[in-house]
Amino acid sequence: RLTLPAELYAYDIRNAKSLGRVKQLALTIDPYEPTLLAFSPTPVDDLLVAAPAHIRRGDTGRIGLSLPRPESIGTDIFHVDFLDPSGKLVSCYSGNVLAPDGRAEVLLPLAANDPPGHWTMRIRDALTGRERSAGLEVF
């Protein structure tokens, strides 16, 4: 049993789920797989994504990511994946992004020979495990 100093919003990072606002947690600790928990004095809001609807091949798209909150709690980490029109992960454009005060800008420097069509961007907040997807058209 884990007892916290105050009621806090708890998040199970490995299983990407919210545990709600708690003062105590009953846990079974696995001897091989670590238990990763995060706590926040305020609930973490949904991730906001500001992306252009269209990006021309050879241009660089600017994508804004943010977690709105009333106060700064430090640096967040977002994992961003880009999938091409066939659904294939484009690893050279994917990765982790540091977000001081919950804000970050992701650059998508498309190559002139990237495939045109509907691309998908998947963003995962490392703290809460919340995911958001957004689409954009590459032409």
Side-chain angles (χ1 to χ4, degrees):
R1 181 169 300 277
L2 175 64
T3 301
L4 305 173
E7 280 194 354
L8 297 170
Y9 292 90
Y11 300 92
D12 180 338
I13 295 174
R14 289 183 63 87
N15 294 308
K17 69 178 187 176
S18 172
L19 303 175
R21 188 171 177 180
V22 297
K23 173 80 172 147
Q24 288 188 341
L25 286 171
L27 301 169
T28 302
I29 304 297
D30 187 287
Y32 303 104
E33 296 292 327
T35 299
L36 299 176
L37 302 172
F39 301 95
S40 174
T42 58
V44 177
D45 291 327
D46 284 335
L47 178 65
L48 300 177
V49 179
H54 307 282
I55 302 175
R56 183 184 318 271
R57 290 180 292 169
D59 287 349
T60 297
R62 294 181 176 280
I63 300 154
L65 305 175
S66 64
L67 280 172
R69 31 177 98 103
E71 62 200 41
S72 171
I73 63 167
T75 300
D76 285 288
I77 300 172
F78 302 132
H79 183 80
V80 180
D81 283 328
F82 288 96
L83 300 128
D84 70 14
S86 70
K88 180 182 170 192
L89 175 70
V90 184
S91 59
C92 63
Y93 298 146
S94 301
N96 291 333
V97 178
L98 295 178
D101 296 326
R103 292 177 190 81
E105 181 178 69
V106 175
L107 299 179
L108 178 59
L110 291 169
N113 63 347
D114 275 327
H118 184 79
W119 285 53
T120 302
M121 175 178 37
R122 288 188 314 220
I123 305 104
R124 182 174 186 265
D125 173 31
L127 173 68
T128 65
R130 289 186 178 167
E131 292 186 356
R132 166 88 54 178
S133 291
L136 53 100
E137 293 298 321
V138 172
F139 64 99

